[in-house]
Amino acid sequence: MKNIKKTMFIIFALFFQLSKAIAFSACSKCGNLEVPYPLSTNDNCGDSRYKVHCNDDILQFKSSEGFYYNIHSIDPNAYKLIISPPEIQNGRCFSSDLSLGGLRLDENLPFNVSTHNTVMLLNCSNNLINSPLNCSINSPCRQFEEKMIEASGCKNTLCCTYLKDSAMTAHMIRVRIGGCTAYTSVVNFKPGDPVETWKYGIELQWIPPN
């Protein structure tokens, strides 16, 4: 009887460890991107608090407003991923997430916008001229407007640039009618680098699971 109980205990312990291992396993690749733990594309892998989406082999991050941003790189060792900025409509200086107020993250989830993003706000109201943002003729956003085709509709309007720092909200990049209607972002921007070498993206970081 003791041997039977002992065997049953061992089986239960192994089953528990196996279940735990499955629960904490990495998800399958999505297209050409690995999906490392704790990111989760379904209920059978990763951690459900770190939800991302695999849609037609494209890995995407969903904002709190329901907008999907393509993920183009992940660094699991640094707890970071980079999403693509929204498209700017041709001929109009409107970001594709304008109707939702720009990028908004759910503050109850373990993601935030990192401090490595240099944000360029486009087609801005003159109210921003006296803001602490860099809205001068030498602002990097001017180079973006001049050199990048998708920003051609933003020329001859006010644009402003700022480094996303810890003093600002870490859960949104805001655009709106009456403010600025479009934006882009460059990760690890260095003044003087040619526009063609800028690393366009919005870097998000996550808090590792306990």
Side-chain angles (χ1 to χ4, degrees):
M1 190 67 174
K2 287 184 178 181
N3 288 337
I4 294 175
K5 287 183 177 180
K6 185 177 180 180
T7 301
M8 290 180 65
F9 175 80
I10 292 172
I11 292 173
F12 176 79
L14 290 172
F15 178 78
F16 176 78
Q17 291 297 326
L18 179 61
S19 299
K20 187 176 179 181
I22 292 172
F24 290 106
S25 64
C27 299
S28 301
K29 287 180 69 173
C30 179
N32 61 358
L33 278 181
E34 300 285 348
V35 184
Y37 181 84
L39 302 182
S40 172
T41 54
N42 61 69
D43 295 336
N44 299 317
C45 62
D47 185 320
S48 60
R49 296 172 298 167
Y50 299 79
K51 189 72 175 174
V52 292
H53 302 265
C54 187
N55 297 320
D56 297 324
D57 284 336
I58 298 174
L59 193 62
Q60 297 179 315
F61 182 89
K62 185 180 178 182
S63 74
S64 63
E65 302 297 317
F67 192 91
Y68 289 88
Y69 300 81
N70 292 348
I71 298 172
H72 62 71
S73 67
I74 303 170
D75 184 348
N77 296 318
Y79 314 121
K80 294 176 180 178
L81 58 86
I82 295 176
I83 59 176
S84 298
E87 294 182 358
I88 299 173
Q89 296 177 15
N90 288 334
R92 303 180 70 193
C93 197
F94 291 172
S95 286
S96 53
D97 60 359
L98 173 62
S99 64
L100 301 173
L103 172 65
R104 295 171 183 264
L105 306 184
D106 186 336
E107 296 186 35
N108 295 313
L109 296 180
F111 292 96
N112 64 271
V113 181
S114 86
T115 57
H116 296 152
N117 297 289
T118 296
V119 179
M120 301 178 192
L121 300 174
L122 311 169
N123 191 29
C124 297
S125 163
N126 287 335
N127 294 333
L128 267 71
I129 290 178
N130 296 320
S131 74
L133 309 183
N134 181 0
C135 304
S136 71
I137 59 173
N138 297 316
S139 179
C141 60
R142 293 293 180 196
Q143 299 176 59
F144 175 70
E145 290 177 340
E146 292 295 329
K147 296 294 181 75
M148 305 305 289
I149 295 175
E150 62 266 34
S152 59
C154 303
K155 290 181 180 179
N156 303 316
T157 65
L158 181 67
C159 73
C160 302
T161 303
Y162 67 94
L163 176 65
K164 194 78 172 174
D165 64 34
S166 57
M168 301 175 179
T169 174
H171 294 94
M172 73 165 61
I173 296 176
R174 188 185 185 199
V175 288
R176 62 184 177 87
I177 300 294
C180 304
T181 62
Y183 70 98
T184 192
S185 176
V186 178
V187 180
N188 294 323
F189 172 78
K190 295 178 181 177
D193 282 353
V195 177
E196 295 78 13
T197 66
W198 290 358
K199 186 178 180 181
Y200 292 98
I202 303 169
E203 184 181 85
L204 306 181
Q205 59 188 18
W206 69 78
I207 301 169
N210 295 328

